[in-house]
Amino acid sequence: MARILVTGGTGYIGSHTVVELMQQGYDVVIVDNLSNSDQAVLDGITAIVGTCPEFVHADCTDMSAMDALFARYNDIAGVIHFAASKAVNESVEQPLKYYRNNVMSLVTVLEAMKKHGVHNVVFSSSCTVYGQPTAQHLPVDETAPLQKATSPYGNTKQINEDIIRDEAHANSALHATILRYFNPIGAHPSALIGELPNGVPQNLLPFVTQTAIGLRAELKVFGNDYHTPDGSCIRDYIYVVDLAKAHVKAVERMLSDKPEEQVEVFNLGTGTGLSVLEIVNTFMHVTGVNVPYQIVGRREGDIEQVWAKADKANEVLGWRADTPIEQVLMSAWKWEQKIRGVEG
Ligand code: NAD
Ligand code: WQD
């Protein structure tokens, strides 16, 4: 079966995608510089799938390394480009690191693809490109106006989407699928791979699971005075395994020459918004574990509410994120227990 190059494939979303690709029979090569992941993730993938994917330890901004990779694996049919730095706060403090890594890695991968005659790329974008949609654009669909990014990280996603469109305009052979993820959460049901946050988690779910297991004294809920039913912010939390499966659908579509447009854009979300308090309460309910929390002030720059209209992905990709939130939250809890050596 076709060979797919997965950049950032030992990372959180990448590793789950590699599993789904391999389970569908694809040959996978991972390239990762291990800047935000561990090579031991390969053991988890191998334990789930039964075989180890090919792994190249290299940096996607390194043209000679990428050139050598494409020369060595000369049958790559498509690329899924996850490799990027993703910490929003860090991007505010170190913007150049983000522009260098996230923009240069995409440019380098596209150049190497062109040189080696590889014409299909799937790119990891984010709902952050929509900012706070107006009420008339909620749930938000792919045609909603993009808004000026509130962080250098978010800006790299907008710039990278533009780079892809410009290159596709100039190079008619290129086909690209831009996937705008909403809020990926949870872990593989096997608890053999999952999210491994660095230091104090900035994202909600890892903070909830670390508080539940006693690593953090309490969760701070950032604001209960928003214009939402319970006053806390609303997001579209999507199960990482459902998200991974969408990548397989996107690859299938590209390889079967179905795309109607050279650049296709899909929202990947559930279509349902949940509040911070709904997530915390549901987590406590399904796990039976208490999560001490305190309502504090709003977090600067937070979006009040955003969730996806995912009809295009549902219809065109034939994909739906339908894992119940209870199951998703249990998977996150099982993973947290596993990595802390606690019997579930
Ligand atoms: P992650 O940090 O777990 O995975 C990214 C992987 O890329 C890591 O393994 C890292 O070591 C690797 N990497 C980074 N720079 C590299 C480089 N120059 N060369 C080679 N490898 C490199 O992050 P993730 O959550 O799996 O995110 C994957 C992609 O999805 C990213 O592009 C991210 O911006 C995007 N995304 C993530 C979220 C989210 O909430 N997790 C939401 C929207 C979009
Ligand atoms: C979710 C909700 C917080 C932590 C970030 C990036 C975005 C995208 C996804 C990549 C918010 C609240 C959180 C905590 C809390 N990533 N919260 N206490 O804000 O949607 O976006 O991740 O593209 O670019 O900005 O996700 O998980 O940080 O927060 O109350 O300790 O949980 O206020 O309402 P967010 P998040």
Side-chain angles (χ1 to χ4, degrees):
M1 200 144 160
R3 190 187 293 280
I4 304 298
L5 173 65
V6 181
T7 78
T10 46
Y12 173 45
I13 306 169
S15 57
H16 289 82
T17 301
V18 167
V19 164
E20 297 302 321
L21 284 167
M22 291 176 76
Q23 287 181 334
Q24 292 306 311
Y26 287 94
D27 290 325
V28 172
V29 185
I30 293 174
V31 59
D32 203 297
N33 65 0
L34 303 177
S35 58
N36 198 37
S37 56
D38 194 301
Q39 198 162 340
V41 169
L42 296 174
D43 300 336
I45 295 172
T46 307
I48 297 169
V49 181
T51 39
C52 189
E54 299 281 319
F55 176 72
V56 176
H57 183 192
D59 194 306
C60 293
T61 66
D62 178 345
M63 186 56 193
S64 61
M66 294 307 291
D67 196 18
L69 188 159
F70 278 93
R72 178 169 159 208
Y73 299 97
N74 60 10
D75 58 350
I76 292 170
V79 179
I80 307 181
H81 182 55
F82 291 106
S85 306
K86 64 160 181 178
V88 175
N89 287 351
E90 187 188 52
S91 82
V92 175
E93 284 151 21
Q94 299 179 55
L96 298 182
K97 171 178 170 181
Y98 277 68
Y99 288 114
R100 167 170 289 280
N101 197 42
N102 295 7
V103 178
M104 290 310 296
S105 62
L106 176 71
V107 170
T108 309
V109 166
L110 289 176
E111 281 178 346
M113 285 173 59
K114 195 177 197 171
K115 180 169 173 195
H116 293 271
V118 179
H119 303 305
N120 298 307
V121 65
V122 177
F123 174 67
S124 302
S125 189
S126 165
C127 66
T128 192
V129 299
Y130 298 119
Q132 175 62 67
T134 56
Q136 94 209 50
H137 286 297
L138 271 176
V140 69
D141 74 17
E142 294 83 353
T143 64
L146 306 192
Q147 297 191 44
K148 186 173 163 41
T150 52
S151 71
Y153 166 76
N155 203 20
T156 67
K157 292 299 176 194
Q158 297 198 357
I159 292 169
N160 280 358
E161 287 198 8
D162 284 344
I163 289 171
I164 287 169
R165 284 194 196 88
D166 288 347
E167 177 57 16
H169 179 73
N171 169 10
S172 60
L174 182 67
H175 278 87
T177 307
I178 292 173
L179 300 178
R180 293 180 180 153
Y181 313 155
F182 282 67
N183 290 61
I185 59 168
H188 195 267
S190 63
L192 290 164
I193 53 172
E195 188 170 11
L196 285 167
N198 235 336
V200 182
Q202 307 295 312
N203 294 118
L204 179 62
L205 237 288
F207 207 106
V208 167
T209 56
Q210 289 194 9
T211 307
I213 209 144
L215 269 179
R216 315 268 159 215
E218 65 175 16
L219 168 75
K220 292 183 170 58
V221 172
F222 299 132
N224 69 346
D225 58 351
Y226 286 100
H227 298 293
T228 60
D230 67 21
S232 64
C233 293
I234 292 175
R235 298 286 186 274
D236 188 332
Y237 295 94
I238 173 172
Y239 186 33
V240 67
V241 174
D242 289 336
L243 183 64
K245 288 179 176 162
H247 291 74
V248 179
K249 295 285 190 184
V251 165
E252 269 170 15
R253 180 171 168 82
M254 295 187 95
L255 298 190
S256 63
D257 292 328
K258 278 195 198 134
E260 283 152 20
E261 295 167 289
Q262 235 189 306
V263 180
E264 292 191 319
V265 182
F266 296 100
N267 279 347
L268 297 182
T270 64
T272 301
L274 292 173
S275 74
V276 176
L277 291 172
E278 282 175 316
I279 288 286
V280 176
N281 288 325
T282 309
F283 181 90
M284 291 197 279
H285 181 72
V286 296
T287 62
V289 179
N290 187 42
V291 178
Y293 70 86
Q294 193 195 149
I295 311 280
V296 300
R298 295 179 175 196
R299 182 171 71 175
E300 199 190 326
D302 249 341
I303 301 294
E304 179 174 272
Q305 46 187 323
V306 62
W307 68 98
K309 188 161 164 53
D311 298 24
K312 187 176 172 193
N314 297 163
E315 286 156 21
V316 178
L317 293 179
W319 164 91
R320 186 174 293 275
D322 54 9
T323 307
I325 189 67
E326 292 80 5
Q327 198 177 317
V328 179
L329 295 174
M330 269 311 287
S331 77
W333 178 230
K334 202 173 151 194
W335 169 245
E336 185 68 56
Q337 291 175 292
K338 168 78 186 310
I339 57 178
R340 306 299 165 196
V342 176
E343 285 296 316

